[in-house]
Amino acid sequence: MPYDDLIAHLMRTTSLGPGEAARVVADVLSYFGETAEAYVRRRHAELRARGLGNDEIFRRVAAELPARRVAAPELSQRQLRRIIYGG
């Protein structure tokens, strides 16, 4: 796993064993790996299941999203060049 150093750190600083620490790291990576689109869809479904209407759901999601860390979109080399050199 590319995060062996993080797993070792968690094991040193907590009472977690190797399997538990690896699971925590995997869960956190999954959490922060969610795209903005996936987050919006998931939250819509969760709030809809609670009986909220779209107006309230969209208001809540719009307020939540700026504070939420989401995965960056995949960028091609061409897109990366455009960020650096413009165009």
Side-chain angles (χ1 to χ4, degrees):
M1 183 172 208
Y3 299 99
D4 287 339
D5 58 330
L6 179 55
I7 292 169
H9 173 75
L10 286 174
M11 290 169 47
R12 279 191 310 274
T13 60
T14 69
S15 60
L16 296 176
E20 295 166 317
R23 191 168 45 254
V24 167
V25 169
D27 285 348
V28 169
L29 291 173
S30 175
Y31 178 85
F32 286 118
E34 187 173 41
T35 64
E37 292 82 7
Y39 175 76
V40 169
R41 286 187 194 101
R42 178 176 61 78
R43 283 297 287 153
H44 182 271
E46 290 170 355
L47 296 172
R48 187 60 130 176
R50 292 187 200 167
L52 277 70
N54 278 339
D55 288 342
E56 177 64 16
I57 291 170
F58 296 147
R59 186 189 65 70
R60 284 190 187 194
V61 172
E64 293 170 359
L65 200 52
R68 170 92 180 164
R69 289 193 169 264
V70 295
E74 286 189 38
L75 299 173
S76 69
Q77 288 186 14
R78 182 177 181 172
Q79 290 168 311
L80 293 171
R81 280 190 201 95
R82 283 188 172 170
I83 290 170
I84 301 299
Y85 301 113

